[in-house]
């Protein structure tokens, strides 16, 4: 097992050991931190994600965005690539690749200047992200220099330093239940 695989396993285990009450409480605080942030308030377009398992549940923040008339899109996987499609309600999502809720392919959202809410297995204090190892987000960001990336994690998913590679793009911001920086 490689170093990255060991790190992924460690942080997935920590996250998966959280109770449903912990997930709900910490996710609620993460959403409050997102909604109150200047970067969220200024955003007109948001690229979101549908939580899987014990990932931080950001649905409350997404609903707040819709109430503020923000345009919101979710990713859908096509082979090795990921594309976003705009949705205006959670009912427009259906189970897709890796059992993740994905949008129907009705309204493509190829937005160059969106706020992107990015899940991950772990992040570090320099806002570097370790994903699930498939590279979808790294490939997506390669052509989106104007997107603002906001990593979403529980405090227990934040390491001092993670091993990263050249194509691992850092986040501009990182939010946990304790803070946004």
């Amino acid at each position: 097992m490689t170093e990255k695989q060991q790190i992924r396993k460690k942080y997935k285990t920590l996250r998966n050991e959280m109770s449903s009450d912990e997930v709900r409480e910490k996710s609620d605080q993460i959403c409050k931190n997102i909604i109150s942030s200047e970067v969220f308030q200024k955003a007109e377009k948001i690229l979101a994600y549908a939580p899987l398992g014990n990932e931080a549940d950001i649905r409350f923040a997404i609903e707040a965005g819709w109430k503020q008339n923000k345009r919101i899109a979710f990713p859908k996987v096509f082979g090795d690539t990921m594309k976003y499609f705009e949705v205006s309600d959670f009912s427009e999502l259906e189970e897709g690749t890796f059992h993740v809720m994905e949008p129907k392919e009705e309204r493509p959202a190829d937005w160059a200047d969106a706020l992107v809410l990015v899940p991950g297995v772990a992040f570090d204090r320099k806002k570097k992200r370790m994903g699930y190892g498939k590279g979808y987000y790294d490939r997506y960001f390669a052509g989106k220099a104007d997107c603002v990336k906001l990593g979403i994690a529980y405090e227990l998913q934040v390491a001092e330093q993670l091993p990263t590679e050249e194509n691992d793009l850092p986040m501009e911001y990182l939010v946990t239940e304790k803070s946004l920086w």
Side-chain angles (χ1 to χ4, degrees):
M1 189 178 288
T2 68
E3 180 185 16
K4 277 190 161 185
Q5 288 172 325
Q6 290 173 336
I7 292 168
R8 280 188 185 97
K9 183 177 180 181
K10 171 188 171 181
Y11 284 100
K12 280 183 187 177
T13 299
L14 286 171
R15 187 181 67 199
N16 291 339
E17 288 176 345
M18 292 172 51
S19 71
S20 57
D21 285 343
E22 278 182 288
V23 169
R24 186 176 55 256
E25 288 169 19
K26 291 179 181 190
S27 293
D28 286 351
Q29 190 57 53
I30 288 170
C31 287
K32 288 175 186 173
N33 291 343
I34 292 169
I35 294 165
S36 66
S37 72
E38 186 176 341
V39 69
F40 182 85
Q41 290 301 318
K42 285 184 174 180
E44 295 177 12
K45 299 176 214 148
I46 297 172
L47 301 179
Y49 68 89
L52 183 64
N54 274 5
E55 282 183 333
D57 187 344
I58 59 168
R59 290 179 289 186
F60 179 69
I62 293 164
E63 287 173 348
W66 281 324
K67 288 177 185 169
Q68 295 175 22
N69 296 314
K70 296 179 186 297
R71 296 177 69 189
I72 299 178
F74 287 82
K76 184 175 178 101
V77 170
F78 296 89
D80 287 343
T81 62
M82 184 171 76
K83 296 178 182 178
Y84 281 85
F85 295 86
E86 187 172 358
V87 300
S88 54
D89 188 86
F90 288 116
S91 66
E92 295 177 32
L93 301 174
E94 59 192 8
E95 188 174 329
T97 307
F98 309 115
H99 303 288
V100 175
M101 297 301 286
E102 296 181 332
K104 298 167 185 157
E105 301 169 43
E106 295 172 359
R107 296 179 303 217
D110 192 24
W111 302 329
D113 59 346
L115 170 62
V116 189
L117 306 180
V118 186
V121 174
F123 294 86
D124 70 17
R125 297 283 170 199
K126 294 181 180 175
K127 302 182 206 101
K128 297 279 183 143
R129 173 184 177 269
M130 181 175 284
Y132 293 90
K134 304 281 187 205
Y136 290 106
Y137 281 93
D138 294 322
R139 283 190 296 280
Y140 183 81
F141 291 136
K144 306 283 186 206
D146 292 335
C147 283
V148 176
K149 299 173 291 298
L150 172 58
I152 312 283
Y154 303 112
E155 195 68 31
L156 60 80
Q157 292 175 272
V158 181
E160 273 310 307
Q161 187 172 355
L162 292 171
T164 55
E165 297 170 19
E166 197 174 304
N167 64 327
D168 293 335
L169 298 174
M171 306 289 105
E172 280 81 17
Y173 300 94
L174 181 61
V175 66
T176 69
E177 68 275 14
K178 293 188 178 178
S179 64
L180 181 138
W181 75 94

